[in-house]
Amino acid sequence: MASGDGAPDDSGCHILHVDMDAFYASVELRDRPGLKGSPVIVGGRGGRSVVLSATYEARAFGVHSAMPMARAIRLCPYAVVIPPRHGQYAAVSREVMAIFRAITPQVEPLALDEAFLDVSGALRRLARRPAEVGQLIRDQVSELGITCSVGVATSKFVAKLASVHCKPDGLLVIPADGVLGFLHPLPVSALWGVGRQTGQVLARLGLRTVADIAHAPAGSLERELGRAAAAHLKALAAGHDDRAVVPGAQEKSIGAEETFASDVCDPDLIRRELLRLSGRTARGLRAAGCSARTVVVKLRLASFKTITRSRTLAEPTDVAQQIYAVACALYAAAGLDARARLRLVGVRATGLIPASAAAEQLAFGERPASWREAERALDRIAGRFGTDAVRPAILVNGGP
DNA sequence: TCTGGGGTCCTGCGGCTG
DNA sequence: TCTGCAGCCGCAGGACCC
């Protein structure tokens, strides 16, 4: 392995993982240069909000993303807290993705701030080596006023670990013959699919490093983790990952959820929230050109116990009124105690099919054309005047 | 320590069907 | 007609990722 400064053997390393450094915070700093060098945290200020992103100055105090904001402020009381501007991050993300796509069409975005690139075609066209393409991307991204880290390897999994390893503002090539040397000393938590729970199981088995997993008997892993997870970890620990970069992968579900500022037990309030979330979900479906066959309602109790209930429809839909009706039925069927306090409700649509295919299916049945046309008209108004410009009457006088 | 919001994937169970 | 079985699908829950 080698840094971009040397001359690493990057032959065959056609996969790049590009990851923006502290993306949301970097965008904020770019737009407010006076804050450069200060600890900055992006996130809500509400009692239940969490850290979305933090500058490296804030991270030095132990702050990290997904940490409860109250705790982050205790750790770093002088941090500047900035409420998130998701629209701005999405706009910068589009610029970044455009840079990637100008290099290669083989771009698989993972989130707003990271993507896999397969540059095998671009190497021939640009007559450059993989590490040089990685550096070219870093140079072009830096012109947007933010930095990124690039991992260069023969597989997605190793490229991603490499980009994490060289953060911030770095480039790391893992040559084909250096994969095991790079992977094996890493802790098991570096592997995809190893979180807190799996990490505890592995620790119980005495497995702490990737090398331990590579040498562990498959049988004991299978007994503890199940066949699929065991095979997955064994393959990764051996450096095997043959997944291709898939541009424009279709999403499998679309949904919305909301945590209440304080726990709620009033069923009317919960149904109002279900209506709002059904509307957001249906708008998401229409924006993606999809209809959904299954509606899932998620209810999280004050105790943090989470209940989900789902129902598959006779015909796919992208209509909020239909989703809302099912969501209410599922909420009622969950049979919660009248005193049960909820901290979160969510609505999700799965079993997605293209809206055009759904329209063909609906042609044989009764078509809820009036609601669909009405909601499409609302989409057009929202597109011009914002999503708050028009909403159901029940939601007009203050929400839950 | 007191846990957001958007997702994906896997497992286990039960019902249905051939 | 009944039984056993396999395969599929729907459903619920959990773990994980960014």
Side-chain angles (χ1 to χ4, degrees), chain A residues 26 71 188 275 325 383:
Chain A
S26 298
R71 184 159 175 243
V188 291
L275 175 59

Side-chain angles (χ1 to χ4, degrees), chain A residues 1 9-13 152-154 173-181:
Chain A
M1 89 194 76
D9 175 16
D10 56 3
S11 347
C13 295
V152 183
T154 54
V173 177
I174 306 297
D177 61 3
V179 168
L180 294 185

